[in-house]
Amino acid sequence: MAATAFAIIRLRNLFAVVMLSGIFSLLAASLYVLLSAVDVAFTEAAVGAGISTLLMLATLAITSEYEKKSERSNWLPKVIVFVTGGVLIYGTLDMPLYGAADAPANLHLIPRFILESGTEIGIPNIVTSVLASYRGYDTLGETVVIFTAAIGVLVLLGRGHNRWRPGMRKPVVPEDREEEV
Amino acid sequence: MFIAASAAIIVAMALTLIRAMLGPTIYDRILAVNLFGTKALLLIAVMGFLTDRPEFLDIALVYALINFIATIAVMKFFRFAHLGHPHEEDNLGDL
C-alpha cells in the first residue's frame, strides 16, 4: 500500500495515477476483509475502485492528462503532513490491541447493544439498530454529505459540458471507428 | 499449501503493481488493474481457507463481479469518453 501511495505522489501521468488509486482501494478493501469488516470492504471496493475511478476518468476527459510541475517550494504542507501523521501514529499507541476483550468498547457498549437493542429498538439486526437508531443523526449527516457531493459532481461533470476544448484528449472520431468494427 | 499459494499470489500482485506503475501504454495499466483485482479476490479466497472461514468465497465472488463491471466501465469510458447516453450526431451511445 505504501509503495502504491508513493507512486501516486511521484507519477506525473494522471491516467496512471487514477489506475493506481483504484489498486490502492482494492488493497484497502482486502485489508478490511482480513480485519473482518466485510461491509466496509464492500463499500470501499464499490465506491473506491469502481465509481470514483470513473469520476476521475470523467474529470480527466475534461482536463489534460499530465500534471504541471509546481514551481513554488512546498515545505509548509510537507511539515503539516508529517506532524499530523506523527500525532496520529502517537495516538494509536494508547489504543487497546485489535480485538482485545478488555477494550472499553467491548466492556460496556457491545454487551448493551447485544443484550438490549432487540427490546429497546425492536429491530432484530444489531448493526441496523446501531446505524439507524443509536447513531441516527450521524447517519443522517452522512446521507446529507453524500447527497451534496452527488449534486456537486453532477453539476461539474454534467452533460453539455464535456465538449472538446484545447488541452483535452482528442475524442475518437467516427471515421476511424468504422473500419475497426 | 495455502500459505505457499498466498505467497505466490502476493508475488504476482507485486508484479502487476510494477506493470501498472511502469506500463508504457494505457492498455497495460487497465489490464494491470483488472489483474490486480483478480489477484486480490484470489488472495481473499485463499485467506478465507487459511483462517478457516470458507464463507469468504462469497465475498470473493462479489469482488469478481465488481472488478468485471469496473473494467468494462473504464474501457467503455476510455473508448467513448462517456458512459452511453444518447449522442448528438451518431448512435454510438447505444452500445
Side-chain angles (χ1 to χ4, degrees), chain A residues 33-34, chain B residues 1-6 9 40-61:
Chain A
V33 168
L34 293 184
Chain B
M1 194 180 76
F2 285 131
I3 295 175
S6 57
I9 290 172
L41 76 91
L42 281 177
L43 187 67
I44 290 170
V46 172
M47 282 292 175
F49 283 108
L50 201 59
T51 53
D52 280 336
R53 285 189 289 186
E55 69 267 16
F56 273 18
L57 264 189
D58 302 341
I59 301 162
L61 277 180

mmCIF file of all heavy atoms in Angstrom, chain A residues 33-34, chain B residues 1-6 9 40-61:
data_model
loop_
_atom_site.group_PDB
_atom_site.id
_atom_site.type_symbol
_atom_site.label_atom_id
_atom_site.label_comp_id
_atom_site.label_asym_id
_atom_site.label_seq_id
_atom_site.Cartn_x
_atom_site.Cartn_y
_atom_site.Cartn_z
ATOM 1 N N VAL A 33 -11.281 -6.738 4.671
ATOM 2 C CA VAL A 33 -11.812 -8.109 4.723
ATOM 3 C C VAL A 33 -11.017 -8.923 5.737
ATOM 4 O O VAL A 33 -11.580 -9.667 6.540
ATOM 5 C CB VAL A 33 -11.773 -8.756 3.335
ATOM 6 C CG1 VAL A 33 -12.035 -10.241 3.431
ATOM 7 C CG2 VAL A 33 -12.783 -8.124 2.430
ATOM 8 N N LEU A 34 -9.678 -8.760 5.727
ATOM 9 C CA LEU A 34 -8.864 -9.532 6.657
ATOM 10 C C LEU A 34 -9.123 -9.123 8.094
ATOM 11 O O LEU A 34 -8.944 -9.916 9.013
ATOM 12 C CB LEU A 34 -7.383 -9.376 6.322
ATOM 13 C CG LEU A 34 -7.000 -10.005 4.983
ATOM 14 C CD1 LEU A 34 -5.514 -9.904 4.764
ATOM 15 C CD2 LEU A 34 -7.440 -11.442 4.916
ATOM 16 N N MET B 1 0.069 -25.578 2.225
ATOM 17 C CA MET B 1 -0.195 -25.373 0.808
ATOM 18 C C MET B 1 -0.870 -24.027 0.574
ATOM 19 O O MET B 1 -0.537 -23.306 -0.355
ATOM 20 C CB MET B 1 -1.079 -26.492 0.292
ATOM 21 C CG MET B 1 -1.128 -26.549 -1.222
ATOM 22 S SD MET B 1 -2.170 -27.871 -1.799
ATOM 23 C CE MET B 1 -3.779 -27.196 -1.510
ATOM 24 N N PHE B 2 -1.803 -23.683 1.475
ATOM 25 C CA PHE B 2 -2.472 -22.391 1.330
ATOM 26 C C PHE B 2 -1.490 -21.250 1.535
ATOM 27 O O PHE B 2 -1.581 -20.211 0.885
ATOM 28 C CB PHE B 2 -3.622 -22.282 2.318
ATOM 29 C CG PHE B 2 -4.805 -23.101 1.925
ATOM 30 C CD1 PHE B 2 -5.419 -23.939 2.822
ATOM 31 C CD2 PHE B 2 -5.305 -23.027 0.627
ATOM 32 C CE1 PHE B 2 -6.508 -24.690 2.445
ATOM 33 C CE2 PHE B 2 -6.386 -23.772 0.239
ATOM 34 C CZ PHE B 2 -6.991 -24.605 1.164
ATOM 35 N N ILE B 3 -0.521 -21.464 2.456
ATOM 36 C CA ILE B 3 0.466 -20.419 2.698
ATOM 37 C C ILE B 3 1.304 -20.196 1.449
ATOM 38 O O ILE B 3 1.541 -19.049 1.024
ATOM 39 C CB ILE B 3 1.352 -20.797 3.903
ATOM 40 C CG1 ILE B 3 0.489 -20.826 5.168
ATOM 41 C CG2 ILE B 3 2.491 -19.818 4.065
ATOM 42 C CD1 ILE B 3 1.220 -21.292 6.379
ATOM 43 N N ALA B 4 1.720 -21.308 0.807
ATOM 44 C CA ALA B 4 2.509 -21.180 -0.423
ATOM 45 C C ALA B 4 1.696 -20.492 -1.502
ATOM 46 O O ALA B 4 2.200 -19.607 -2.215
ATOM 47 C CB ALA B 4 2.953 -22.567 -0.887
ATOM 48 N N ALA B 5 0.407 -20.849 -1.605
ATOM 49 C CA ALA B 5 -0.445 -20.234 -2.627
ATOM 50 C C ALA B 5 -0.575 -18.744 -2.383
ATOM 51 O O ALA B 5 -0.464 -17.940 -3.321
ATOM 52 C CB ALA B 5 -1.821 -20.898 -2.604
ATOM 53 N N SER B 6 -0.785 -18.344 -1.102
ATOM 54 C CA SER B 6 -0.951 -16.916 -0.852
ATOM 55 C C SER B 6 0.347 -16.167 -1.096
ATOM 56 O O SER B 6 0.328 -15.036 -1.598
ATOM 57 C CB SER B 6 -1.460 -16.681 0.567
ATOM 58 O OG SER B 6 -0.586 -17.260 1.484
ATOM 59 N N ILE B 9 0.543 -15.634 -4.751
ATOM 60 C CA ILE B 9 -0.400 -14.599 -5.197
ATOM 61 C C ILE B 9 0.146 -13.216 -4.861
ATOM 62 O O ILE B 9 0.035 -12.273 -5.656
ATOM 63 C CB ILE B 9 -1.777 -14.839 -4.554
ATOM 64 C CG1 ILE B 9 -2.411 -16.088 -5.149
ATOM 65 C CG2 ILE B 9 -2.680 -13.660 -4.796
ATOM 66 C CD1 ILE B 9 -3.651 -16.500 -4.445
ATOM 67 N N ALA B 40 -6.491 -9.952 -6.019
ATOM 68 C CA ALA B 40 -6.999 -9.604 -4.691
ATOM 69 C C ALA B 40 -8.097 -10.574 -4.277
ATOM 70 O O ALA B 40 -8.135 -11.035 -3.132
ATOM 71 C CB ALA B 40 -7.507 -8.167 -4.681
ATOM 72 N N LEU B 41 -8.992 -10.918 -5.223
ATOM 73 C CA LEU B 41 -10.071 -11.831 -4.827
ATOM 74 C C LEU B 41 -9.545 -13.240 -4.607
ATOM 75 O O LEU B 41 -10.033 -13.946 -3.711
ATOM 76 C CB LEU B 41 -11.211 -11.800 -5.839
ATOM 77 C CG LEU B 41 -11.128 -12.480 -7.192
ATOM 78 C CD1 LEU B 41 -11.661 -13.887 -7.090
ATOM 79 C CD2 LEU B 41 -11.943 -11.704 -8.174
ATOM 80 N N LEU B 42 -8.508 -13.645 -5.377
ATOM 81 C CA LEU B 42 -7.893 -14.948 -5.105
ATOM 82 C C LEU B 42 -7.280 -14.966 -3.715
ATOM 83 O O LEU B 42 -7.421 -15.943 -2.962
ATOM 84 C CB LEU B 42 -6.809 -15.234 -6.142
ATOM 85 C CG LEU B 42 -7.284 -15.719 -7.499
ATOM 86 C CD1 LEU B 42 -6.095 -15.879 -8.417
ATOM 87 C CD2 LEU B 42 -7.995 -17.029 -7.339
ATOM 88 N N LEU B 43 -6.623 -13.839 -3.375
ATOM 89 C CA LEU B 43 -5.994 -13.756 -2.050
ATOM 90 C C LEU B 43 -7.041 -13.841 -0.947
ATOM 91 O O LEU B 43 -6.841 -14.521 0.070
ATOM 92 C CB LEU B 43 -5.212 -12.454 -1.943
ATOM 93 C CG LEU B 43 -4.380 -12.299 -0.693
ATOM 94 C CD1 LEU B 43 -3.260 -13.307 -0.697
ATOM 95 C CD2 LEU B 43 -3.814 -10.908 -0.593
ATOM 96 N N ILE B 44 -8.194 -13.164 -1.166
ATOM 97 C CA ILE B 44 -9.251 -13.213 -0.158
ATOM 98 C C ILE B 44 -9.761 -14.641 0.007
ATOM 99 O O ILE B 44 -9.956 -15.121 1.133
ATOM 100 C CB ILE B 44 -10.393 -12.256 -0.543
ATOM 101 C CG1 ILE B 44 -9.932 -10.817 -0.386
ATOM 102 C CG2 ILE B 44 -11.621 -12.503 0.290
ATOM 103 C CD1 ILE B 44 -10.887 -9.832 -0.960
ATOM 104 N N ALA B 45 -9.958 -15.334 -1.130
ATOM 105 C CA ALA B 45 -10.442 -16.712 -1.052
ATOM 106 C C ALA B 45 -9.453 -17.607 -0.314
ATOM 107 O O ALA B 45 -9.823 -18.374 0.585
ATOM 108 C CB ALA B 45 -10.700 -17.239 -2.466
ATOM 109 N N VAL B 46 -8.153 -17.481 -0.670
ATOM 110 C CA VAL B 46 -7.147 -18.331 -0.019
ATOM 111 C C VAL B 46 -7.043 -18.006 1.461
ATOM 112 O O VAL B 46 -6.932 -18.897 2.312
ATOM 113 C CB VAL B 46 -5.794 -18.162 -0.740
ATOM 114 C CG1 VAL B 46 -4.702 -18.860 0.018
ATOM 115 C CG2 VAL B 46 -5.876 -18.719 -2.126
ATOM 116 N N MET B 47 -7.110 -16.702 1.777
ATOM 117 C CA MET B 47 -7.047 -16.314 3.188
ATOM 118 C C MET B 47 -8.249 -16.854 3.962
ATOM 119 O O MET B 47 -8.130 -17.207 5.139
ATOM 120 C CB MET B 47 -7.016 -14.788 3.312
ATOM 121 C CG MET B 47 -5.673 -14.186 3.017
ATOM 122 S SD MET B 47 -4.478 -14.613 4.275
ATOM 123 C CE MET B 47 -2.997 -13.928 3.597
ATOM 124 N N GLY B 48 -9.404 -16.919 3.291
ATOM 125 C CA GLY B 48 -10.573 -17.482 3.939
ATOM 126 C C GLY B 48 -10.350 -18.926 4.339
ATOM 127 O O GLY B 48 -10.678 -19.335 5.456
ATOM 128 N N PHE B 49 -9.731 -19.702 3.432
ATOM 129 C CA PHE B 49 -9.465 -21.103 3.791
ATOM 130 C C PHE B 49 -8.351 -21.200 4.817
ATOM 131 O O PHE B 49 -8.348 -22.106 5.648
ATOM 132 C CB PHE B 49 -9.107 -21.902 2.538
ATOM 133 C CG PHE B 49 -10.303 -22.239 1.716
ATOM 134 C CD1 PHE B 49 -10.533 -21.609 0.517
ATOM 135 C CD2 PHE B 49 -11.220 -23.160 2.179
ATOM 136 C CE1 PHE B 49 -11.647 -21.898 -0.230
ATOM 137 C CE2 PHE B 49 -12.337 -23.465 1.440
ATOM 138 C CZ PHE B 49 -12.552 -22.827 0.234
ATOM 139 N N LEU B 50 -7.410 -20.241 4.752
ATOM 140 C CA LEU B 50 -6.280 -20.275 5.678
ATOM 141 C C LEU B 50 -6.740 -20.009 7.106
ATOM 142 O O LEU B 50 -6.231 -20.608 8.059
ATOM 143 C CB LEU B 50 -5.258 -19.219 5.252
ATOM 144 C CG LEU B 50 -3.829 -19.368 5.731
ATOM 145 C CD1 LEU B 50 -3.285 -20.688 5.238
ATOM 146 C CD2 LEU B 50 -2.997 -18.239 5.190
ATOM 147 N N THR B 51 -7.742 -19.132 7.277
ATOM 148 C CA THR B 51 -8.215 -18.794 8.619
ATOM 149 C C THR B 51 -9.517 -19.508 8.946
ATOM 150 O O THR B 51 -10.264 -19.058 9.818
ATOM 151 C CB THR B 51 -8.407 -17.281 8.749
ATOM 152 O OG1 THR B 51 -9.241 -16.847 7.668
ATOM 153 C CG2 THR B 51 -7.086 -16.557 8.675
ATOM 154 N N ASP B 52 -9.823 -20.602 8.206
ATOM 155 C CA ASP B 52 -10.990 -21.437 8.492
ATOM 156 C C ASP B 52 -12.299 -20.676 8.401
ATOM 157 O O ASP B 52 -13.213 -20.892 9.216
ATOM 158 C CB ASP B 52 -10.874 -22.073 9.885
ATOM 159 C CG ASP B 52 -9.958 -23.271 9.828
ATOM 160 O OD1 ASP B 52 -9.823 -23.835 8.737
ATOM 161 O OD2 ASP B 52 -9.367 -23.619 10.859
ATOM 162 N N ARG B 53 -12.382 -19.743 7.455
ATOM 163 C CA ARG B 53 -13.656 -19.070 7.235
ATOM 164 C C ARG B 53 -13.994 -19.164 5.763
ATOM 165 O O ARG B 53 -13.795 -18.216 5.008
ATOM 166 C CB ARG B 53 -13.593 -17.614 7.698
ATOM 167 C CG ARG B 53 -13.637 -17.510 9.200
ATOM 168 C CD ARG B 53 -13.790 -16.102 9.632
ATOM 169 N NE ARG B 53 -12.582 -15.329 9.406
ATOM 170 C CZ ARG B 53 -12.410 -14.085 9.802
ATOM 171 N NH1 ARG B 53 -13.385 -13.473 10.430
ATOM 172 N NH2 ARG B 53 -11.296 -13.457 9.570
ATOM 173 N N PRO B 54 -14.509 -20.322 5.303
ATOM 174 C CA PRO B 54 -14.721 -20.510 3.864
ATOM 175 C C PRO B 54 -15.813 -19.610 3.303
ATOM 176 O O PRO B 54 -15.962 -19.528 2.094
ATOM 177 C CB PRO B 54 -15.139 -21.976 3.748
ATOM 178 C CG PRO B 54 -14.888 -22.564 5.077
ATOM 179 C CD PRO B 54 -14.891 -21.473 6.069
ATOM 180 N N GLU B 55 -16.577 -18.904 4.166
ATOM 181 C CA GLU B 55 -17.612 -18.019 3.623
ATOM 182 C C GLU B 55 -16.997 -16.800 2.944
ATOM 183 O O GLU B 55 -17.710 -16.046 2.286
ATOM 184 C CB GLU B 55 -18.582 -17.584 4.722
ATOM 185 C CG GLU B 55 -17.998 -16.657 5.761
ATOM 186 C CD GLU B 55 -17.458 -17.420 6.951
ATOM 187 O OE1 GLU B 55 -17.281 -18.641 6.810
ATOM 188 O OE2 GLU B 55 -17.215 -16.791 7.988
ATOM 189 N N PHE B 56 -15.666 -16.648 3.049
ATOM 190 C CA PHE B 56 -15.000 -15.590 2.293
ATOM 191 C C PHE B 56 -15.145 -15.798 0.793
ATOM 192 O O PHE B 56 -14.967 -14.867 0.018
ATOM 193 C CB PHE B 56 -13.510 -15.550 2.649
ATOM 194 C CG PHE B 56 -13.205 -14.693 3.834
ATOM 195 C CD1 PHE B 56 -14.202 -14.336 4.716
ATOM 196 C CD2 PHE B 56 -11.919 -14.240 4.064
ATOM 197 C CE1 PHE B 56 -13.938 -13.550 5.818
ATOM 198 C CE2 PHE B 56 -11.644 -13.456 5.154
ATOM 199 C CZ PHE B 56 -12.646 -13.109 6.032
ATOM 200 N N LEU B 57 -15.463 -17.035 0.379
ATOM 201 C CA LEU B 57 -15.636 -17.310 -1.045
ATOM 202 C C LEU B 57 -16.731 -16.443 -1.637
ATOM 203 O O LEU B 57 -16.597 -15.936 -2.753
ATOM 204 C CB LEU B 57 -15.994 -18.786 -1.245
ATOM 205 C CG LEU B 57 -14.853 -19.735 -1.583
ATOM 206 C CD1 LEU B 57 -15.423 -21.079 -1.950
ATOM 207 C CD2 LEU B 57 -14.049 -19.185 -2.728
ATOM 208 N N ASP B 58 -17.836 -16.238 -0.886
ATOM 209 C CA ASP B 58 -18.934 -15.403 -1.388
ATOM 210 C C ASP B 58 -18.455 -13.984 -1.620
ATOM 211 O O ASP B 58 -18.758 -13.364 -2.648
ATOM 212 C CB ASP B 58 -20.089 -15.410 -0.386
ATOM 213 C CG ASP B 58 -20.588 -16.810 -0.133
ATOM 214 O OD1 ASP B 58 -20.294 -17.672 -0.962
ATOM 215 O OD2 ASP B 58 -21.253 -17.024 0.892
ATOM 216 N N ILE B 59 -17.668 -13.478 -0.643
ATOM 217 C CA ILE B 59 -17.129 -12.130 -0.788
ATOM 218 C C ILE B 59 -16.257 -12.045 -2.030
ATOM 219 O O ILE B 59 -16.333 -11.087 -2.803
ATOM 220 C CB ILE B 59 -16.346 -11.763 0.471
ATOM 221 C CG1 ILE B 59 -17.268 -11.846 1.681
ATOM 222 C CG2 ILE B 59 -15.732 -10.409 0.361
ATOM 223 C CD1 ILE B 59 -16.542 -11.938 2.957
ATOM 224 N N ALA B 60 -15.451 -13.100 -2.246
ATOM 225 C CA ALA B 60 -14.576 -13.103 -3.416
ATOM 226 C C ALA B 60 -15.396 -13.075 -4.696
ATOM 227 O O ALA B 60 -15.027 -12.393 -5.665
ATOM 228 C CB ALA B 60 -13.669 -14.331 -3.386
ATOM 229 N N LEU B 61 -16.547 -13.782 -4.707
ATOM 230 C CA LEU B 61 -17.403 -13.769 -5.893
ATOM 231 C C LEU B 61 -17.922 -12.368 -6.177
ATOM 232 O O LEU B 61 -17.891 -11.894 -7.317
ATOM 233 C CB LEU B 61 -18.578 -14.730 -5.691
ATOM 234 C CG LEU B 61 -18.277 -16.188 -5.991
ATOM 235 C CD1 LEU B 61 -19.515 -17.018 -5.754
ATOM 236 C CD2 LEU B 61 -17.854 -16.314 -7.426
#
